[in-house]
Amino acid sequence: MVNTPLGNNAPATGYHPLNSSLRLDWPVRNHGTPHGFAQADGLFQVTVAPFRGSCNDVLSQAIRLAGQGSRVMIAQFLSGGINQGPEQATRLCGSLEWIRPAIDCCLVDPAAITPQHHQAVNAVWAASRQQLSSGGLDLMVLDELGLALEFGLLEEGHVLKALRQRPASLDLTLIGSAMSDAILDMANQVTRLRCRHSSGGSLN
């Protein structure tokens, strides 16, 4: 017998009072992951709002996570700007990549969409799909992907297939004012925002 933190009655050969069956010669069992721990599945979240521009909270959270070291990608499908496009990605916090289509406007009217707009949005999707399947991200945020599908800018079957084949550990967040039932059915969590109307009361 030896003196141990568990008292004087514990032998030094693998015995533990909470698990008397423990033996030192039993192998440690690995369950398929590098360190023997199960890897948590990523969360697929969808946020739907009756108005556009509802993504501020989600984007703020993505930036915060990137600042803590998570690998994050944000893709906005219908909001362009000067010197945009996958080749002109904005990089923040050392681990966040932010891409937008190479157009100088925000797409709001399907009737006004040109072949150039179509090509630019598809370039954003191609870059997103590549990162989606790479396994190199912790979080991906896709802004207005649902509305891009509704406008006919992307092929829904191809998009749904890519979303289903995403790495199991990836956290995926879709935000926008339109979302198909097929996407909603895939989500682990769906949040619906509501407009809150002002009471109209005077402060005076």
Side-chain angles (χ1 to χ4, degrees):
M1 298 292 181
V2 294
N3 192 9
T4 73
L6 297 174
N8 295 331
N9 296 322
T13 55
Y15 175 86
H16 192 287
L18 298 181
N19 184 9
S20 60
S21 64
L22 178 64
R23 292 180 53 187
L24 293 180
D25 57 340
W26 283 7
V28 176
R29 301 189 183 278
N30 190 309
H31 294 283
T33 56
H35 302 291
F37 295 100
Q39 185 169 340
D41 288 342
L43 184 64
F44 186 170
Q45 302 180 78
V46 172
T47 298
V48 186
F51 52 91
R52 298 181 67 176
S54 60
C55 60
N56 291 341
D57 289 343
V58 174
L59 298 183
S60 296
Q61 173 77 352
I63 293 172
R64 185 181 69 83
L65 291 175
Q68 295 175 347
S70 295
R71 300 159 299 177
V72 179
M73 180 176 182
I74 299 172
Q76 293 186 275
F77 285 88
L78 302 183
S79 298
I82 299 173
N83 296 325
Q84 297 294 311
E87 299 81 9
Q88 306 284 343
T90 299
R91 290 176 171 81
L92 302 171
C93 305
S95 58
L96 184 149
E97 181 179 10
W98 193 326
I99 62 174
R100 305 169 76 180
I103 54 178
D104 59 359
C105 63
C106 179
L107 300 179
V108 296
D109 181 5
I113 291 175
T114 68
Q116 178 189 1
H117 298 152
H118 194 283
Q119 182 179 2
V121 172
N122 273 268
V124 171
W125 169 243
S128 302
R129 185 183 62 229
Q130 181 179 8
Q131 289 292 336
L132 186 64
S133 62
S134 70
L137 294 176
D138 299 305
L139 170 66
M140 172 173 277
V141 177
L142 303 177
D143 177 35
E144 296 192 314
L145 176 65
L147 198 56
L149 291 171
E150 186 173 288
F151 284 2
L153 291 165
L154 300 173
E155 171 57 47
E156 184 175 34
H158 295 162
V159 171
L160 295 177
K161 180 179 179 181
L163 297 181
R164 292 190 186 101
Q165 294 178 345
R166 70 191 184 280
S169 61
L170 174 69
D171 285 331
L172 179 63
T173 300
L174 272 62
I175 49 183
S177 57
M179 210 68 65
S180 69
D181 289 340
I183 290 178
L184 294 175
D185 289 343
M186 294 170 60
N188 302 114
Q189 176 180 312
V190 176
T191 301
R192 297 183 183 275
L193 303 181
R194 297 182 299 176
C195 290
R196 296 187 62 184
H197 299 288
S198 171
S199 61
S202 175
L203 298 178
N204 297 327

